[in-house]
Amino acid sequence: MDIQITGKNIDVTDAIREYVQKRMDKLDKYLSKVLDAHVTLFVEKIDHVVVVTIRKRRLTLHAEERSEDLYASIDKAVEKLETQLRRHKDRIKKHNSRTRTPDFETAADLNLHIDILDGTDLLDVQEEPRVIRTERFALKPMSVDEAALQMDLMNQDFLVFSNQKTGNVNVIYQRKDGNYGLIVPTKD
């Protein structure tokens, strides 16, 4: 696996690179055709923070860990990724036993723009809400089942995706009863 390692406010030595490579090689048994693996190391106050992002064809994994020891943070991040991969593999087996979905590797990615507001209570605020953070990411075509898998894998409450059957942008979300809801916009 080819890994890009960057450090912010920290010198990434050969020993650190070797340790990260050795720990990430542990994930090879779960991954094939990895497009991109990026590890960012930085120090924040007294904590050593490790952020790992792995992109596979239609899957993105993310883990962030912090502790007072850099090597412990690396170990925890890799363990978190391994847990996500194991869970993903189990979900794939479960879904594949029910139905097979076509794999569209060449479908064009769409761009999506999301604005996230901070958690203040809008009733208490007299002024208009403002955009606190903006995230941009590639919107990939996938089936509803694949979107549910990706949402569970990333531990998110919702996922915006391009429905591969219709080509429209949809939102899948986790309901309070544990089931999933799907929002399909129409032009009525």
Side-chain angles (χ1 to χ4, degrees):
M1 176 186 316
D2 184 34
I3 302 168
Q4 182 181 8
I5 303 171
T6 56
K8 296 179 184 175
N9 301 330
I10 192 170
D11 185 28
V12 181
T13 63
D14 289 337
I16 294 173
R17 284 186 190 284
E18 201 172 293
Y19 189 78
V20 169
Q21 184 70 44
K22 180 182 172 188
R23 295 296 292 158
M24 293 291 287
D25 285 345
K26 183 179 177 182
L27 303 176
D28 279 343
K29 63 183 174 184
Y30 298 106
L31 297 170
S32 62
K33 297 182 184 177
V34 173
L35 297 178
D36 185 23
H38 187 86
V39 178
T40 304
L41 312 168
F42 60 95
V43 178
E44 193 174 84
K45 295 185 182 179
I46 62 168
D47 288 336
H48 289 85
V49 182
V50 176
V51 179
V52 182
T53 304
I54 297 176
R55 282 188 336 113
K56 193 178 164 183
R57 193 176 47 177
R58 297 178 74 166
L59 175 69
T60 301
L61 300 171
H62 181 79
E64 180 177 333
E65 285 296 329
R66 62 182 61 230
S67 71
E68 292 182 10
D69 178 32
L70 177 64
Y71 293 100
S73 296
I74 294 168
D75 290 342
K76 288 179 187 179
V78 171
E79 286 174 15
K80 185 182 276 189
L81 287 170
E82 188 174 18
T83 301
Q84 290 176 7
L85 285 166
R86 204 175 303 120
R87 191 168 73 206
H88 176 68
K89 188 176 179 181
D90 291 344
R91 301 271 327 222
I92 292 292
K93 284 181 184 177
K94 180 180 171 185
H95 279 277
N96 283 345
S97 66
R98 284 193 285 164
T99 180
R100 298 290 272 170
T101 58
D103 199 12
F104 295 101
E105 184 175 341
T106 60
D109 292 341
L110 303 173
N111 287 324
L112 180 67
H113 178 83
I114 295 178
D115 295 326
I116 300 174
L117 302 176
D118 70 355
T120 59
D121 188 6
L122 296 179
L123 297 175
D124 294 340
V125 178
Q126 298 298 327
E127 61 190 57
E128 291 185 24
R130 55 192 173 106
V131 176
I132 301 301
R133 187 176 74 183
T134 300
E135 288 187 30
R136 294 180 187 272
F137 60 91
L139 185 64
K140 297 179 181 159
M142 59 181 78
S143 70
V144 175
D145 286 341
E146 289 172 308
L149 278 171
Q150 182 74 20
M151 183 183 69
D152 283 346
L153 188 62
M154 295 174 64
N155 291 324
Q156 298 293 324
D157 295 328
F158 70 94
L159 177 72
V160 180
F161 68 100
S162 174
N163 191 321
Q164 70 185 18
K165 287 184 182 178
T166 64
N168 294 332
V169 175
N170 292 168
V171 178
I172 190 166
Y173 62 95
Q174 184 87 35
R175 295 172 40 102
K176 290 179 182 177
D177 62 5
N179 293 315
Y180 299 103
L182 182 66
I183 299 173
V184 181
T186 60
K187 294 184 179 183
D188 290 338

